[in-house]
């Protein structure tokens, strides 16, 4: 029975992967690439290369949709041709019938995770770099002006509570990709001594992991705000974190990072202290983890809906699949936006659609089992 159900599920699944990924990449990439060929003179061979590189991202999105389509179409056909009734008459329960679809959905979940973690982010990044190089974009790959990096530290108060205080503030007027100019650094990390560094320019020294500052002045101020010393310099090396340079350099877009890279970026953003960016990245990381598991949810929902005794054609099954998919992704984007606003936690904002549709699938399955 399992082999028969699996063979019936595979054909519509592969059809769905081809159809959904082709539709997605056509809507998202083809029209934009054609416009760039006509208006910007993008070579056709480069356009084809970018098109192929964008395909894995849409295969990731097509896997859950195809799982829903395959399970819904297969179980609907078996139900309309009374094959499910015959199997139940032989003593096979609805839960056992649906188990095959759930197990295959778990396999698709693993495939989705591998594509989403190892292939799609690297392909998206390569596509962006190829397009940027071909068009010789004037857009800088780094932040040019107003590099601002605050660093905070939790300080325990006498009553045991903790306050978050500013320990270091790094500011630069300009960054040309190698050197920063117009720098002002307020350093409060040393106990009972504050430093204010004003420098004409600075450059990160990777061999020594220090900053080389040029033509500047260091003001030393005691904790009670009394004067300590002034040091003028032409070249001075200071032990400061590399983080301001990491913030100035262009980071990858969310779709171009796997979970490991996103966690590294989150560490950088945490040091920068931009709450909005941190929240958005936390939600994106949770969504990257939750997305593959929608395959299991869709497998259960599709099998449960298809097992309802009724006469449903393939066109109707396709239409129902589109409605379910649209509803899921609508809730997915809304809950993600609410989580970014801070109303929901990043975990709940990313996993809420999965929990909701899992509940619907289990409810439908129990109703079918009671008939």
């Amino acid at each position: 029975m399992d082999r028969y159900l699996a063979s019936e599920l595979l054909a519509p699944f592969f059809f769905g992967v081809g159809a959904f990924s082709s539709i997605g990449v056509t809507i998202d990439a083809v029209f934009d690439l054609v416009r760039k060929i006509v208006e910007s003179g993008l070579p056709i061979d480069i356009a084809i290369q970018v098109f192929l590189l964008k395909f894995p991202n849409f295969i990731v999105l097509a896997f859950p949709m195809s799982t829903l389509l395959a399970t819904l179409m297969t179980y609907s056909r078996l139900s309309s041709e009374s094959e499910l009734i015959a199997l139940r008459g032989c003593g096979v329960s609805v839960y056992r019938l649906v188990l095959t679809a759930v197990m295959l959905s778990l396999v698709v979940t693993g495939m989705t995770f591998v594509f989403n973690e190892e292939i799609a982010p690297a392909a998206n990044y390569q596509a962006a770099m190829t397009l940027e190089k071909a068009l010789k974009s004037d857009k800088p790959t780094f932040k040019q002006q107003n590099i601002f990096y605050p660093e905070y530290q939790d300080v325990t108060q006498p009553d045991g509570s903790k306050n978050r205080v500013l320990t270091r503030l790094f500011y630069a007027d300009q960054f040309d990709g190698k050197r920063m100019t117009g720098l002002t650094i307020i350093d409060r990390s040393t106990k009972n001594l504050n430093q204010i560094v004003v420098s004409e320019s600075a450059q990160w020294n990777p061999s020594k992991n220090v900053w080389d500052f040029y033509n500047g002045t260091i003001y030393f101020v005691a904790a009670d705000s009394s004067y300590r010393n002034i040091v003028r310099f032409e070249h001075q090396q200071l032990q400061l974190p590399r983080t301001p340079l990491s913030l100035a350099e262009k980071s990858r877009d969310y779709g171009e990072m796997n979970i490991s890279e996103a966690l590294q970026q989150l560490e950088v953003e945490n040091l920068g202290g931009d709450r909005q960016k941190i929240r958005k990245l936390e939600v994106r990381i949770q969504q990257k983890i939750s997305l593959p598991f929608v395959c299991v949810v869709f497998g259960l929902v599709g099998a449960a809906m298809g097992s309802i005794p009724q006469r449903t054609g393939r066109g109707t099954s396709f239409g129902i699949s589109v409605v379910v998919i649209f509803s899921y992704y609508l809730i997915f984007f809304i809950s993600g936006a609410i989580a970014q606003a801070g109303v929901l936690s990043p975990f709940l904002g990313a996993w809420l659609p999965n929990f909701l549709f899992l509940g619907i699938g289990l409810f439908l399955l129990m109703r079918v089992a009671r008939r």
Side-chain angles (χ1 to χ4, degrees):
M1 181 190 74
D2 289 331
R3 190 180 300 172
Y4 172 68
L5 286 173
S7 64
E8 291 294 313
L9 285 165
L10 287 179
F13 173 76
F14 287 120
F15 166 77
V17 172
F20 288 125
S21 57
S22 299
I23 293 171
V25 78
T26 300
I27 293 173
D28 184 80
V30 171
F31 295 141
D32 185 52
L33 288 172
V34 170
R35 184 177 59 79
K36 285 185 168 61
I37 292 171
V38 175
E39 296 179 1
S40 306
L42 179 69
I44 294 177
D45 58 329
I46 298 294
I48 293 173
Q49 189 179 344
V50 172
F51 172 79
L52 294 175
L53 287 168
K54 283 183 173 288
F55 230 98
N57 188 48
F58 291 95
I59 291 177
V60 169
L61 297 175
F63 277 149
M65 302 180 196
S66 305
T67 303
L68 176 66
L69 179 68
T71 52
L72 186 56
M73 288 181 72
T74 300
Y75 282 81
S76 293
R77 188 190 67 76
L78 295 175
S79 178
S80 62
E81 295 179 3
S82 302
E83 292 187 44
L84 291 184
I85 296 174
L87 287 168
R88 293 186 69 178
C90 296
V92 181
S93 69
V94 172
Y95 299 110
R96 180 63 184 85
L97 287 171
V98 169
L99 182 62
T100 307
V102 174
M103 295 307 293
L104 284 177
S105 302
L106 279 172
V107 175
V108 180
T109 297
M111 292 165 55
T112 307
F113 189 83
V114 171
F115 262 79
N116 199 31
E117 183 68 5
E118 301 294 336
I119 301 175
N124 283 341
Y125 181 69
Q126 191 60 42
M129 292 297 102
T130 302
L131 200 57
E132 188 177 305
K133 186 177 178 182
L135 295 176
K136 296 177 181 176
S137 173
D138 293 331
K139 186 179 177 181
T141 58
F142 48 83
K143 185 177 179 181
Q144 282 185 304
Q145 298 178 332
N146 300 324
I147 317 302
F148 180 79
Y149 164 59
E151 189 175 311
Y152 298 92
Q153 185 180 29
D154 288 330
V155 176
T156 304
Q157 301 300 311
D159 61 356
S161 62
K162 288 187 176 181
N163 280 349
R164 197 162 181 255
V165 299
L166 182 73
T167 54
R168 191 177 285 133
L169 183 64
F170 187 107
Y171 175 79
D173 288 336
Q174 302 278 342
F175 178 53
D176 63 3
K178 293 182 178 178
R179 179 175 290 225
M180 294 188 183
T181 58
L183 295 105
T184 302
I185 295 101
I186 300 173
D187 190 348
R188 304 172 62 200
S189 59
T190 305
K191 190 174 182 180
N192 297 326
L193 182 65
N194 297 327
Q195 298 181 56
I196 301 172
V197 182
V198 180
S199 175
E200 184 179 305
S201 62
Q203 190 170 6
W204 175 252
N205 186 334
S207 61
K208 297 182 179 178
N209 287 333
V210 296
W211 283 90
D212 287 325
F213 285 84
Y214 300 95
N215 301 324
T217 305
I218 303 177
Y219 301 89
F220 294 92
V221 182
D224 60 359
S225 304
S226 62
Y227 162 77
R228 280 292 185 87
N229 199 4
I230 296 178
V231 176
R232 293 194 59 80
F233 62 86
E234 292 184 357
H235 177 215
Q236 179 72 37
Q237 290 187 329
L238 293 176
Q239 292 273 0
L240 295 173
R242 185 188 182 279
T243 314
L245 183 62
S246 301
L247 288 174
E249 291 173 338
K250 179 182 181 295
S251 61
R252 294 189 180 192
D253 290 335
Y254 299 113
E256 298 168 0
M257 292 187 283
N258 57 26
I259 294 173
S260 174
E261 291 165 339
L263 288 172
Q264 291 175 9
Q265 182 64 27
L266 181 60
E267 289 182 9
V268 174
E269 298 295 350
N270 276 329
L271 292 172
D274 189 330
R275 294 288 186 189
Q276 191 174 3
K277 281 187 177 179
I278 292 169
R279 191 78 182 180
K280 188 174 182 179
L281 195 50
E282 287 174 338
V283 174
R284 290 288 186 274
I285 291 171
Q286 288 295 330
Q287 287 178 333
K288 269 188 171 292
I289 299 170
S290 70
L291 181 65
F293 290 94
V294 74
C295 297
V296 180
V297 176
F298 276 0
L300 178 65
V301 170
M305 291 179 73
S307 299
I308 298 173
Q310 57 187 340
R311 292 194 174 276
T312 305
R314 292 187 175 183
T316 306
S317 298
F318 186 83
I320 294 172
S321 299
V322 171
V323 172
V324 173
I325 291 164
F326 178 78
S327 303
Y328 174 85
Y329 281 107
L330 182 63
I331 296 172
F332 183 81
F333 288 121
I334 290 174
S335 62
I338 293 173
Q340 284 183 39
V343 178
L344 296 177
S345 68
F347 174 82
L348 194 57
W351 286 86
L352 182 63
N354 285 6
F355 294 148
L356 184 62
F357 278 77
L358 179 63
I360 293 172
L362 291 172
F363 172 73
L364 291 174
L365 190 60
M366 288 188 287
R367 277 195 61 185
V368 175
R370 283 200 296 266
R371 290 190 177 188

